[in-house]
Amino acid sequence: MVFQGWNCYNNPRNENQNKKQEGYKMKRKLISALLATAMVASMVVVPVMADEETEAATRLPQKLLQKLLQKLLQKLLQKLQQKKNAEPVANPDLADKKVGVCIYQFSDNFMTLFRTELEDYLVKLGFSKENITIQDGQNDQATQSNQIDAFIADGVDVLIINPVNTSSAETITDKVVDAGIPLVYINREPGEDEEARWDENGWDVTYVGCDARQSGTFQGEEIAELENKGDADGDGVVRYIMVQGDPENVDAQYRTEKSVEALKAAGVEVEELTKQRGDWDQTKGQEITANALSQYGDKIDVVFCNNDAMALGALQAIEAAGRTVNKDIYLVGVDALVEVVENVMNDKMTGTVFNDYFGQAHTAADKALDFVNGKDVDNVYMVDYVKVTTENAGDILEMIK
């Protein structure tokens, strides 16, 4: 498979940002090599030959490439594990510094993992747990805006915000910057135009997250790399349903778009049966999938979900309908929640994509610390995703547990 139309490792939106992010180069080289190897391995074709010995010899390079792929993947996971286990040196001067954290919704499975890791790492850096306040936006922008106002009135030293609506980022940025408080956006990207404002004005504002285009591409590749390329009924067309998060959210938009683009890039003919908003919620994921299965039945080859919570709901609906994942239907998500990775290991889900909350939480905390210490901070920091399939699910599970 080939990455089409974008470079997730060298984001062109800001030349200064690209020049400064030298710290990511080694990891990016490793991942680039991994992807290149996977591409070559997937494109190896064994011709039909009368001579069985010649055919067996032709298969040998593919086996060697697969071994190399596994070694590269193991190295990547080792680096991620080392990053997770790295202990920072606590700074006692930070004990009186106040950190305000706004999470869009506590009930979100992934953001629960994220905020827990964020708080733990902030404490390891030297911030006092008593001075770290984390608020639940309850998926309501008005509620979160009031919480931000309260943090400003309280005079926090730095704000870390996971916005309910990325469309509200401009308003949030303006009020926080006017208050003279550094701002770290996490997980939900405000958008390139908003990020450009920060750079143009020299504001102490940054975004830490993953490039959602990469996660969508990985989802599509996981399906395209199957022996039948996701064509469960063998009729030559991959018909899918898309369980989308929040259509206004850039992550949902990119995951929806890029997953299908990756299939098309692999030469797969596709047909969208339905695309519906699931708001990242497991119950809604179950309801959407159940209704689609009732309406379209065996026509559905693939269920794409913008996150793992909705994928878990989709799995419930699939099983209730008497369908079997990886036999007569395929299912992929994003996040690599523990339950989902276990399902991938047990052949109950096709795949997911590891949304590295360790790397994101640690980078967000590190940038908050840099702001407090008056250091220069770039406007965007990206952490790479990792495909999760049966081949590496055990290694991923060991790391996230």
Side-chain angles (χ1 to χ4, degrees):
M1 307 311 131
V2 182
F3 273 161
Q4 297 286 332
W6 56 278
N7 184 339
C8 58
Y9 310 116
N10 192 16
N11 198 317
R13 63 183 68 165
N14 186 329
E15 291 184 4
N16 292 330
Q17 168 199 330
N18 293 336
K19 292 177 182 178
K20 293 177 182 178
Q21 289 186 323
E22 295 295 327
Y24 290 106
K25 281 189 176 179
M26 291 305 296
K27 184 172 73 169
R28 289 172 178 170
K29 286 180 180 178
L30 175 62
I31 293 177
S32 295
L34 175 65
L35 294 174
T37 305
M39 178 188 70
V40 173
S42 68
M43 293 176 64
V44 171
V45 178
V46 180
V48 177
M49 299 178 182
D51 189 334
E52 293 183 0
E53 291 183 1
T54 305
E55 185 177 357
T58 308
R59 286 196 297 265
L60 182 60
Q62 186 175 15
K63 292 180 180 179
L64 292 174
L65 286 170
Q66 289 172 343
K67 287 182 180 180
L68 178 59
L69 173 61
Q70 288 298 320
K71 288 182 179 180
L72 287 170
L73 184 58
Q74 288 173 0
K75 288 181 180 180
L76 169 62
L77 293 174
Q78 287 171 0
K79 285 182 176 293
L80 290 172
Q81 185 69 49
Q82 290 168 359
K83 185 174 182 180
K84 171 189 171 185
N85 294 335
E87 293 290 338
V89 178
N91 182 352
D93 295 336
L94 299 174
D96 63 341
K97 302 297 183 182
K98 293 190 286 187
V99 181
V101 181
C102 294
I103 302 298
Y104 95 96
Q105 183 170 250
F106 275 11
S107 62
D108 183 296
N109 311 56
F110 176 76
M111 288 312 301
T112 297
L113 297 171
F114 194 121
R115 64 185 165 89
T116 301
E117 185 65 26
L118 176 63
E119 182 178 29
D120 289 346
Y121 193 74
L122 283 167
V123 171
K124 289 177 181 178
L125 288 175
F127 292 97
S128 170
K129 189 168 185 176
E130 291 72 24
N131 286 330
I132 301 170
T133 305
I134 305 178
Q135 295 284 7
D136 179 6
Q138 301 174 35
N139 202 25
D140 180 77
Q141 189 58 62
T143 297
Q144 186 177 77
S145 296
N146 290 335
Q147 293 166 348
I148 294 170
D149 290 340
F151 278 134
I152 292 173
D154 189 42
V156 296
D157 294 282
V158 64
L159 269 168
I160 301 174
I161 297 178
N162 167 224
V164 173
N165 296 325
T166 54
S167 58
S168 299
E170 182 176 351
T171 301
I172 294 171
T173 299
D174 288 342
K175 69 167 64 177
V176 175
V177 168
D178 287 346
I181 298 173
L183 171 58
V184 180
Y185 282 105
I186 56 172
N187 183 251
R188 294 182 161 195
E189 189 171 9
E192 295 182 11
D193 290 343
E194 175 62 11
E195 291 163 358
R197 284 205 313 144
W198 313 339
D199 182 57
E200 291 166 1
N201 292 284
W203 292 338
D204 287 339
V205 185
T206 190
Y207 168 71
V208 176
C210 294
D211 191 329
R213 291 170 289 192
Q214 187 186 34
S215 62
T217 297
F218 282 178
Q219 279 190 304
E221 289 184 346
E222 287 174 348
I223 298 300
E225 289 164 1
L226 297 170
E227 185 176 355
N228 62 2
K229 295 189 175 183
D231 185 10
D233 59 11
D235 68 352
V237 179
V238 173
R239 295 179 175 85
Y240 67 91
I241 68 169
M242 183 68 67
V243 186
Q244 197 174 28
D246 174 1
E248 291 186 5
N249 179 269
V250 68
D251 284 11
Q253 294 166 7
Y254 281 143
R255 288 172 186 173
T256 297
E257 174 187 350
K258 295 300 178 180
S259 57
V260 178
E261 281 188 10
L263 273 180
K264 292 179 179 178
V268 178
E269 183 178 349
V270 301
E271 179 184 341
E272 180 181 276
L273 297 175
T274 186
K275 176 174 66 180
Q276 295 188 42
R277 175 175 182 158
D279 287 321
W280 315 107
D281 181 73
Q282 181 170 339
T283 299
K284 290 185 179 180
Q286 186 274 333
E287 292 172 351
I288 291 169
T289 307
N291 290 336
L293 286 166
S294 177
Q295 181 177 356
Y296 299 105
D298 293 342
K299 289 183 179 180
I300 301 174
D301 295 305
V302 177
V303 179
F304 284 108
C305 296
N306 282 173
N307 78 340
D308 276 351
M310 295 188 297
L312 287 171
L315 178 61
Q316 292 173 321
I318 289 169
E319 292 177 338
R323 302 285 293 275
T324 304
V325 173
N326 293 336
K327 290 185 179 179
D328 57 24
I329 194 169
Y330 300 100
L331 172 63
V332 290
V334 175
D335 283 338
L337 300 178
V338 169
E339 184 178 353
V340 171
V341 177
E342 289 174 340
N343 284 337
V344 173
M345 288 181 62
N346 296 325
D347 205 33
K348 293 178 65 177
M349 290 181 66
T350 308
T352 183
V353 182
F354 178 42
N355 195 353
D356 183 8
Y357 59 88
F358 295 111
Q360 292 178 71
H362 293 188
T363 303
D366 287 337
K367 297 309 121 185
L369 174 60
D370 286 345
F371 275 138
V372 169
N373 288 334
K375 295 182 179 180
D376 290 336
V377 174
D378 294 336
N379 294 126
V380 178
Y381 292 87
M382 290 295 187
V383 179
D384 289 300
Y385 286 97
V386 179
K387 289 183 191 177
V388 182
T389 63
T390 53
E391 285 75 17
N392 69 332
D395 294 326
I396 293 288
L397 185 63
E398 182 180 351
M399 180 173 63
I400 62 179
K401 274 192 169 182

